[in-house]
Amino acid sequence: MAEPYTLEHYVADLRRITSETGDEDEIFRRAGPLAQRLATDKAFLQPKHYETNPDQGFATHLLHEEPDHSLAVLVVNWLPGRGAPAHDHGTWAIVAGVEGQERNIRYSRVDDGSRPGHAELEVKHDFHAGPGELICMKTGGIHAVRNDSDTLSISVHTYGRHINHTGRSQFDLDTGEKKDFIVQME
Ligand SMILES: [Fe+2]
């Protein structure tokens, strides 16, 4: 049996890949399959990663972050019926499904960005992703996530920079308000 692909293997590969290219498509092409392997082998997964955050609706557990906040790897679990509002990341993102189904709603920004604190979004893609499935978003990509199932969902997220250090935003679809989005870390 092949050895499991560990977090240590993944971080070493991420360091190598991002030292060789800053092109986000190239990072996705090379690191995406490794994120899928990490998510499928589940060697990183610990019982504490199932601990939820009922206040927030999703719980974020940090697996790795470089001292300068780059290359953040997180486990995120989502309570049934809960989710995260539309948001961007301020960096590139690779999400690989571990357990359960997560609904992803991808948005395009349709305003010209001229009004501070305001954004208009339009749905461009609405789909479900399950275990082993991969979602890659470039810097500026906007999505909302929901767990519409009746069981906890878990995914492993890799960001070019820790998302609480990118100045990223969340978007209110009803009012068009754009504001900071900081997540609680477990
Ligand atoms: Fe996200």
Side-chain angles (χ1 to χ4, degrees):
M1 204 174 116
E3 264 195 36
Y5 186 67
T6 65
L7 178 67
E8 290 70 28
H9 291 135
Y10 184 56
V11 169
D13 286 336
L14 285 175
R15 285 177 176 148
R16 180 175 45 76
I17 291 165
T18 55
S19 73
E20 291 170 3
T21 183
D23 180 82
E24 295 187 354
D25 283 320
E26 181 71 6
I27 291 170
F28 296 158
R29 190 184 67 73
R30 294 173 61 183
L34 303 175
Q36 284 177 298
R37 203 172 147 200
L38 183 78
T40 305
D41 283 6
K42 295 190 190 182
F44 68 91
L45 196 61
Q46 299 171 37
K48 67 180 180 186
H49 298 144
Y50 290 83
E51 290 170 12
T52 60
N53 182 331
D55 291 337
Q56 188 167 239
F58 60 92
T60 304
H61 302 267
L62 184 68
L63 292 181
H64 175 80
E65 175 185 17
E66 300 284 10
D68 66 355
H69 303 302
S70 65
L71 301 184
V73 184
L74 300 84
V75 186
V76 185
N77 72 52
W78 309 80
L79 283 165
R82 304 291 295 277
H87 61 270
D88 61 16
H89 305 96
T91 184
W92 54 263
I94 298 174
V95 180
V98 177
E99 293 181 4
Q101 294 285 323
E102 289 170 10
R103 181 180 172 198
N104 261 267
I105 308 167
R106 300 287 302 271
Y107 296 92
S108 303
R109 188 161 173 180
V110 294
D111 65 314
D112 62 7
S114 60
R115 264 180 73 187
H118 181 89
E120 287 169 39
L121 307 182
E122 194 174 83
V123 175
K124 68 172 177 181
H125 198 193
D126 187 340
F127 60 100
H128 284 80
E133 291 190 85
L134 193 65
I135 296 159
C136 296
M137 282 165 285
K138 288 188 176 187
T139 301
I142 299 171
H143 74 153
V145 181
R146 298 236 5 123
N147 178 356
D148 285 342
S149 79
D150 54 11
T151 57
L152 193 73
S153 69
I154 301 178
S155 45
V156 63
H157 298 225
T158 307
Y159 300 101
R161 186 172 169 81
H162 190 300
I163 44 175
N164 282 353
H165 296 275
T166 61
R168 53 87 167 256
S169 302
Q170 60 180 302
F171 304 90
D172 185 318
L173 298 175
D174 296 325
T175 64
E177 186 188 9
K178 171 179 178 283
K179 58 185 182 185
D180 291 348
F181 188 28
I182 300 290
V183 297
Q184 297 167 24
M185 303 295 299
E186 305 306 318

